[in-house]
């Protein structure tokens, strides 16, 4: 019909442009025009407590005793964590700690080893 993309919710071909959005008249779904083609995600910048840049595979050291939620375990100061993986979210480090297992840490509580 036209060069406009179909509705991502109901797949209707009767979409129309309204200012900066596309609108579907059948299901009333609206979505921004610029996201019609997914843009490349910006690279995540994660820094440790001292301001050093962290990347996947780095080793870090815990700088504060951290209680493990839901158990009586504690990650002690000075615990070295090897081979970290950076993830999106509030807890931006994914790792495995010996004796505890898989955990997520906040970068503000670690320093680069």
């Amino acid at each position: 019909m036209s060069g406009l993309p179909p509705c991502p919710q109901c797949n209707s071909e009767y979409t129309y442009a309204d200012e900066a959005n596309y609108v579907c008249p059948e299901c009333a779904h609206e979505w921004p025009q610029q996201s019609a083609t997914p843009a490349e995600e910006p690279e995540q910048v994660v820094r440790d407590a001292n301001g050093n840049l962290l990347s996947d595979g780095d080793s870090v050291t815990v700088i504060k005793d951290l209680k493990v939620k839901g158990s009586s375990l504690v990650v002690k100061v000075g615990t070295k964590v090897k081979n970290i993986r950076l993830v999106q979210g509030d807890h931006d480090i994914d790792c495995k700690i010996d004796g505890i297992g898989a955990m997520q840490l906040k970068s503000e509580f670690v320093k680069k080893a």
Side-chain angles (χ1 to χ4, degrees):
M1 184 172 167
S2 67
L4 299 176
C7 176
Q9 291 233 301
C10 68
N11 213 18
S12 171
E13 60 184 26
Y14 301 112
T15 59
Y16 63 91
D18 182 32
E19 293 182 19
N21 292 331
Y22 290 122
V23 180
C24 175
E26 293 184 1
C27 69
H29 179 67
E30 294 185 21
W31 67 101
Q33 289 184 15
Q34 64 268 19
S35 71
T37 57
E40 187 176 316
E41 224 177 82
E43 188 174 325
Q44 180 182 10
V45 177
V46 177
R47 298 190 180 273
D48 69 359
N50 296 330
N52 298 320
L53 190 63
L54 296 175
S55 60
D56 287 342
D58 282 347
S59 293
V60 295
T61 304
V62 177
I63 63 169
K64 177 183 175 184
D65 281 347
L66 301 172
K67 294 179 183 176
V68 179
K69 193 171 187 177
S71 75
S72 61
L73 298 173
V74 175
V75 179
K76 296 286 187 181
V77 170
T79 302
K80 189 167 184 180
V81 181
K82 299 177 185 175
N83 198 20
I84 64 169
R85 192 179 72 198
L86 302 179
V87 294
Q88 297 286 333
D90 188 30
H91 291 73
D92 43 14
I93 297 175
D94 212 8
C95 62
K96 287 185 181 175
I97 298 177
D98 293 337
I100 295 177
M103 283 194 67
Q104 289 188 328
L105 301 172
K106 290 186 177 184
S107 59
E108 63 194 68
F109 299 124
V110 299
K111 68 177 181 178
K112 195 169 187 174

